[in-house]
Amino acid sequence: MPVTERMPMTIEALIKFILSVETLPIKRRKEIASALKRLVEIVGADQHSIIADPGVLRKLFASGKWHQAGISKGRWANIKSLATEALQTAGIEVHRSRANYPIAPEWDGILTKLPELVRRDLRRFAGWCSCLGIPAGEVTPQVFERYLRYCTDLMTHKDPRERWHVVRRAWNRAVEGGELPGAERIECPEAEAWCALTWAELPTSLKEDFDQFVTARTGVQLFAKAGEKSLRDITSKNYATKVRVLATCLNEAGVSASGFGNLILLLTPENVKRGLEHYVRGDNLEKAMARVSGVATAVRSMARWLYGSSRMSEDSFSKIISLCDKVVHRPKGMCTRNRERLAPFANDATARLLLDLPYQVMMRLDKVEEPKVRHAQDAQMAALLCFLQHVPVRINNVSQIDMAKHVSRQSSEAGDIWLLKWEESEVKNRVVLDHRLAVEPSALLERYRNTYRPLLLKGVPTSRLFVSQSGMAKGASALSKQLARFVERETGLKIHAHLMRHLMAYLYLKVHPGDYVTVQRILGHKSLQTTIDFYTGFEVESDFERFDDMILHIRKGVEHSGIDRL
């Protein structure tokens, strides 16, 4: 098969080259060329501007919205396979997608002794080492660095670095288990994440003083002053973290942590200013302000308690409050990343794709004669997505749904409907949540509950709605992560459980601009101002459309509602 010189070529040049390869059947050449053209169309790029390289293709595969392009999962897999074949045909080295490297006898003997999961994760690495003649006894950190470069440069998989970490972790498990005598552990090359000092590394008296603050601010506060409302458990835990963060920042700035014997010694105006200044890291101002604001909020609360207990002077208290007021960041609206993730839903077809997904998945599952656990997991995600579309509550409340406690049923002419209620003690902002599901989503959830949920329970008695394979209730984090993976796999869209709240508010305001009261009621906001602050501007597009429509009607001399008021 002809091989080009190993020089960079564009997708356009690659297509021309493939069509000129006479050793390939003409039909195959056209299939490969068509796949490359379709790939470029899906990602919205130009053939002459994309370099034909495994790393570039990997990014194209990751960004390709194939569901929105109207092609099937099988066709997308075929396009990826043909694109990879095109690179190989042009002499561009590409990592094999399948683990079919020949394994050297020494490596084969080692693999057979390993646990199944470790053997599976190490097999590809063992094949790579076998091809290069590297025995297991000569594997060093330098060999793993070389393998990392190989993965990064030649893999077309979505996340080659994570695949390398899978191999590294499997290797370390084998070393720790004694299956690789004499081999050394491979450490993670990335710098360790920044961590705050633990309570054990700080004076015990500081922790005791903080516990007194929590005790004083927990429980019923009948005559609490402004800004001194009762602390919730999650807030207390958050404040404890912020105390450790401030102490750590001061310690890194040269102030010995041993001197923080209590909150008074820690929360001096000088320490607060120095600690907050040190905590500003990175180039992202939005993230930095949010970080510093969280510490400042905790400091302000503790300073109020110390001042009210006559342990802090009025001068120190005033200075600390002034410092905190300057940096406390109350963002209006959602963060930039969430706005970017909502942008595709301005397209009605994209919104319909997501809204219809639960029902499409359930229709697909209806064709399965004997559902397995994997089918039940898909049904669970379809039920979760359907639920969040109609009841966009916080994911913590969703994970806590108990069929015996939170759900009741009501009959109607069209069918049964679900009624849901959470007491104020179960809700983040202490607001009672009442929701009513329509007939269609109620029926979908009932199908999940009766047909697929029992496959996950495996005989474990529980009344929780969303359960794991062990029959235990799934946590909020697990549900949110699994939902994000499910939606991206099925549609190519990036969305998580909490973003569903913003999306449903956006879709409603797009049709009913300015109706913040309904959005407040649906989302369970205690204050209408919170809703307005968050979602003002969502209707800008429809506002301009109505304005343009009015101008158009005036120009054409057509009557327009409200024209008499001009």
Side-chain angles (χ1 to χ4, degrees), residues 382-409:
L384 175 60
L385 179 60
C386 177
F387 187 89
L388 290 172
Q389 289 173 358
H390 294 271
V391 187
V393 295
R394 297 174 183 87
I395 191 62
N396 275 329
N397 293 114
V398 178
S399 67
Q400 296 166 0
I401 293 177
D402 188 313
M403 296 298 298
K405 180 180 180 181
H406 299 106
V407 181
S408 59
R409 295 173 183 79

Side-chain angles (χ1 to χ4, degrees), residues 220-236:
V220 179
Q221 304 284 324
L222 290 178
F223 306 104
K225 298 178 183 178
E228 295 182 359
K229 64 182 181 180
S230 177
L231 294 181
R232 295 182 295 119
D233 288 342
I234 190 170
T235 306
S236 300

Side-chain angles (χ1 to χ4, degrees), residues 334-390:
M334 65 185 66
C335 67
T336 303
R337 183 172 59 180
N338 282 344
R339 283 190 172 276
E340 291 173 351
R341 286 180 173 177
L342 287 181
F345 296 99
N347 184 313
D348 290 342
T350 302
R352 282 194 298 272
L353 180 67
L354 182 69
L355 296 178
D356 199 39
L357 178 59
Y359 304 95
Q360 293 296 327
V361 170
M362 287 306 231
M363 288 173 60
R364 184 177 74 205
L365 294 175
D366 284 344
K367 300 176 183 179
V368 180
E369 294 182 0
E370 296 183 8
K372 306 295 183 183
V373 168
R374 67 178 184 274
H375 302 120
Q377 291 171 329
D378 282 350
Q380 184 181 79
M381 289 299 104
L384 175 60
L385 179 60
C386 177
F387 187 89
L388 290 172
Q389 289 173 358
H390 294 271

Side-chain angles (χ1 to χ4, degrees), residues 324-483:
C324 292
D325 286 344
K326 290 178 180 178
V327 297
V328 167
H329 179 56
R330 293 187 178 88
K332 289 191 176 182
M334 65 185 66
C335 67
T336 303
R337 183 172 59 180
N338 282 344
R339 283 190 172 276
E340 291 173 351
R341 286 180 173 177
L342 287 181
F345 296 99
N347 184 313
D348 290 342
T350 302
R352 282 194 298 272
L353 180 67
L354 182 69
L355 296 178
D356 199 39
L357 178 59
Y359 304 95
Q360 293 296 327
V361 170
M362 287 306 231
M363 288 173 60
R364 184 177 74 205
L365 294 175
D366 284 344
K367 300 176 183 179
V368 180
E369 294 182 0
E370 296 183 8
K372 306 295 183 183
V373 168
R374 67 178 184 274
H375 302 120
Q377 291 171 329
D378 282 350
Q380 184 181 79
M381 289 299 104
L384 175 60
L385 179 60
C386 177
F387 187 89
L388 290 172
Q389 289 173 358
H390 294 271
V391 187
V393 295
R394 297 174 183 87
I395 191 62
N396 275 329
N397 293 114
V398 178
S399 67
Q400 296 166 0
I401 293 177
D402 188 313
M403 296 298 298
K405 180 180 180 181
H406 299 106
V407 181
S408 59
R409 295 173 183 79
Q410 178 178 304
S411 298
S412 68
E413 293 183 1
D416 290 348
I417 60 175
W418 280 27
L419 304 176
L420 297 111
K421 182 174 183 177
W422 290 267
E423 299 297 338
E424 61 180 31
S425 60
E426 301 175 293
V427 183
K428 177 183 177 182
N429 57 349
R430 308 295 175 87
V431 173
V432 174
L433 296 179
D434 281 296
H435 285 273
R436 174 185 179 278
L437 273 175
V439 172
E440 190 176 21
S442 295
L444 187 148
L445 284 160
E446 200 67 49
R447 284 166 59 199
Y448 156 69
R449 176 177 176 269
N450 295 330
T451 304
Y452 298 101
R453 182 171 166 271
L455 297 175
L456 300 173
L457 286 175
K458 297 180 180 178
V460 179
T462 179
S463 53
R464 289 293 185 92
L465 180 60
F466 295 108
V467 294
S468 65
Q469 290 189 56
S470 62
M472 305 298 291
K474 276 189 179 177
S477 177
L479 283 175
S480 186
K481 290 176 181 177
Q482 289 170 12
L483 179 69

